[in-house]
Amino acid sequence: MARSLNEWLWQHDFWLPPGITWEDMQESEDIHYPQPHDLLLSIPFALILVVIRCAFERAIALPLSSKLGVRDKQRPKAQPNPMLETFYSTCCKNPEEGELIILAKQCDLPVRKVERWFRRRRNADRPSLSKKFCEACWRFAFYFISFFTGLAVLYDKPWLWDHRECWTGYPQQPLQPSLFWYYLLELSFYWSLVFTLPFDVKRKDFKEQIVHHAATIFLISFSYCANYIRIGTLVMVIHDASDCFLEPTKIFNYMKWKKTCDSLFMVFSAVFLVSRLIVFPYTVLYNTYYYSMEIFQPFFGYYFMNALLIILQLLHVFWSCLIIHMVYKFILQGTMEKDMRSDTEESDKDEEREKIREKEKNGITYFSNVTSNSYIQRNGSEPLNNRTHLTNGHVKER
């Protein structure tokens, strides 16, 4: 059965244009074509990248965060409570009002205290600022290296300047070693992101990130097997261009360098919108949809490749809407709004509101004490806290 499935999967009709078979893609001593089994190397390389990342964050990023003044926020800890902890771990981390009332009765606590316990417990699970800083440093280091590696690999390639060259001689385009290692680097990195996804900072677009990683891995893998190497390299360089500006923007945000962060975000926004909404559709989508038809007729791989690229473009549009909204707020308010993709929860706001209420209560108490003392003074008497009562009933002035 496995053999039949393998034969069905690798039918040349799925992967190659009409009139081309796998026999036409046979390698020789001088000519090498992409081989699907080469992609298996990305798994061990991804694990190596995970190890390198851990070492980088511990040895470089974490000490750098302390030197640059990145301080973790001190959050109040939840008091130990086995019953609430069991509910938090097994049932729900953010219970509804009815569940809070039931838990309050079971623990013999006020509902507000139970609500506060869950809020503090959720905050305890949230990533620290130093963790976010380290993650941003690692991604910036990789995107920076990857982007300039892509430029170094492609600057002398004809398809970087003339997009029709992506299809000259397709699919019998020999695989150059530099292109192979560039592909392997990118694919290994996205596999490493999948491996560390449960441990990375979870943001509001977590589901979109999963779709993005899956589509990218499928796109890179399929483009390699079907020898869409040239168009694949253009996709990777275009994506890395804006990411080189996104991660340092986060880094300066964590450092509280507000003006630098705002300036970099505006640069990132311009690069992202131009590269993802203008360059990508023309250089990649129009290229694969229209220019490729000058060389061959549509086949399954043509439709599948374009479907994956369209998924990426839809994600570009989604993120572009968020970015445009933030830029609009910045232009109106003159200050950058918090990242709409961030992991900030309402629990932070609730904690701040609670502190404000406590301060207001303390202020009211202080105001009441001051007014009562003033009232006593106006009636010819000294405040009690400025007098000492002796045992014989007399009062001694302090």
Side-chain angles (χ1 to χ4, degrees):
M1 182 177 179
R3 182 177 179 180
S4 300
L5 179 61
N6 184 65
E7 292 178 355
W8 174 84
L9 178 63
W10 294 107
Q11 294 182 64
H12 60 266
D13 295 337
F14 290 166
W15 302 87
L16 302 174
I20 304 293
T21 64
W22 291 115
E23 284 73 18
D24 299 321
M25 303 292 294
Q26 293 295 325
E27 292 186 321
S28 63
E29 293 183 359
D30 300 327
I31 300 177
H32 298 280
Y33 295 114
Q35 301 298 321
H37 60 77
D38 295 339
L39 299 177
L40 296 176
L41 291 174
S42 63
I43 303 300
F45 272 85
L47 297 176
I48 293 173
L49 282 178
V50 172
V51 174
I52 294 175
R53 172 183 174 174
C54 293
F56 174 86
E57 291 183 352
R58 286 176 175 268
I60 299 177
L62 191 58
L64 184 63
S65 67
S66 60
K67 289 184 179 180
L68 294 177
V70 178
R71 298 288 182 267
D72 292 334
K73 183 179 179 180
Q74 298 296 326
R75 304 187 182 106
K77 294 183 179 180
Q79 296 295 327
N81 191 309
M83 184 176 296
L84 297 181
E85 184 67 35
T86 302
F87 185 90
Y88 180 87
S89 304
T90 59
C91 298
C92 178
K93 295 183 179 181
N94 194 4
E96 300 292 338
E97 183 177 357
E99 294 173 325
L100 288 173
I101 295 174
I102 295 174
L103 290 171
K105 291 180 179 179
Q106 293 176 350
C107 298
D108 194 20
L109 292 173
V111 176
R112 181 174 293 276
K113 285 191 176 181
V114 175
E115 184 181 6
R116 184 187 304 148
W117 187 95
F118 276 95
R119 182 168 60 247
R120 292 179 175 179
R121 184 65 180 84
R122 287 193 300 270
N123 282 338
D125 286 346
R126 290 178 56 213
S128 62
L129 199 61
S130 59
K131 176 178 174 59
K132 297 179 184 178
F133 180 90
C134 292
E135 181 179 317
C137 283
W138 164 249
R139 297 196 181 202
F140 170 66
F142 177 84
Y143 289 133
F144 184 84
I145 294 172
S146 177
F147 176 67
F148 285 99
T149 298
L151 291 182
V153 168
L154 295 177
Y155 83 97
D156 60 343
K157 302 299 186 294
W159 63 86
L160 180 63
W161 314 106
D162 183 3
H163 306 321
R164 279 186 169 88
E165 288 294 326
C166 289
W167 311 109
T168 301
Y170 179 83
Q172 295 170 310
Q173 298 172 338
L175 176 64
Q176 301 177 19
S178 59
L179 298 178
F180 167 75
W181 288 109
Y182 180 48
Y183 246 74
L184 187 62
L185 175 67
E186 290 279 352
L187 183 58
S188 300
F189 175 71
Y190 282 101
W191 272 121
S192 71
L193 292 183
V194 172
F195 296 157
T196 60
L197 203 58
F199 312 103
D200 289 340
V201 177
K202 290 182 174 59
R203 305 184 185 277
K204 290 182 179 179
D205 62 346
F206 179 73
K207 295 180 180 179
E208 288 80 5
Q209 285 285 351
I210 295 176
V211 174
H212 175 269
H213 295 341
T216 303
I217 290 174
F218 274 115
L219 182 60
I220 294 176
S221 301
F222 179 81
S223 64
Y224 185 86
C225 294
N227 205 12
Y228 283 111
I229 298 293
R230 296 184 179 184
I231 199 70
T233 53
L234 295 179
V235 173
M236 292 186 291
V237 167
I238 291 172
H239 277 72
D240 290 341
S242 59
D243 291 332
C244 287
F245 293 97
L246 174 61
E247 301 306 327
T249 302
K250 295 179 183 178
I251 291 173
F252 285 112
N253 181 42
Y254 302 145
M255 292 167 55
K256 309 299 183 184
W257 290 23
K258 187 169 182 55
K259 291 184 178 180
T260 306
C261 173
D262 292 348
S263 301
L264 269 178
F265 183 81
M266 297 302 293
V267 174
F268 159 74
S269 301
V271 174
F272 185 95
L273 295 176
V274 171
S275 62
R276 305 292 179 93
L277 299 184
I278 299 176
V279 177
F280 184 83
Y282 173 72
T283 304
V284 177
L285 293 180
Y286 186 76
N287 194 0
T288 55
Y289 178 77
Y290 181 74
Y291 288 158
S292 60
M293 292 296 94
E294 298 177 355
I295 308 298
F296 54 80
Q297 296 299 314
F299 63 106
F300 175 81
Y302 165 83
Y303 294 113
F304 188 69
M305 182 76 170
N306 279 281
L308 292 175
L309 291 173
I310 289 174
I311 291 174
L312 282 183
Q313 184 59 25
L314 291 176
L315 291 171
H316 295 165
V317 173
F318 169 78
W319 285 315
S320 296
C321 291
L322 297 182
I323 292 171
I324 291 172
H325 180 76
M326 294 177 68
V327 172
Y328 177 74
K329 288 289 187 180
F330 176 76
I331 294 174
L332 289 183
Q333 300 176 0
T335 182
M336 188 61 63
E337 189 183 55
K338 287 186 178 180
D339 186 0
M340 298 174 69
R341 298 172 54 246
S342 69
D343 63 328
T344 303
E345 297 179 358
E346 292 182 357
S347 53
D348 279 347
K349 298 178 181 179
D350 293 340
E351 200 76 43
E352 292 175 1
R353 292 192 193 102
E354 186 176 342
K355 289 180 180 179
I356 292 173
R357 283 196 296 267
E358 290 178 357
K359 289 181 180 179
E360 289 176 350
K361 290 179 180 179
N362 293 335
I364 292 172
T365 305
Y366 173 76
F367 179 77
S368 299
N369 291 338
V370 171
T371 53
S372 62
N373 289 341
S374 299
Y375 175 80
I376 295 173
Q377 289 177 349
R378 285 196 303 269
N379 284 275
S381 302
E382 293 290 334
L384 294 178
N385 56 358
N386 289 333
R387 298 182 294 173
T388 303
H389 291 267
L390 302 180
T391 54
N392 58 4
H394 295 280
V395 177
K396 180 180 178 180
E397 298 294 335
R398 289 183 179 176

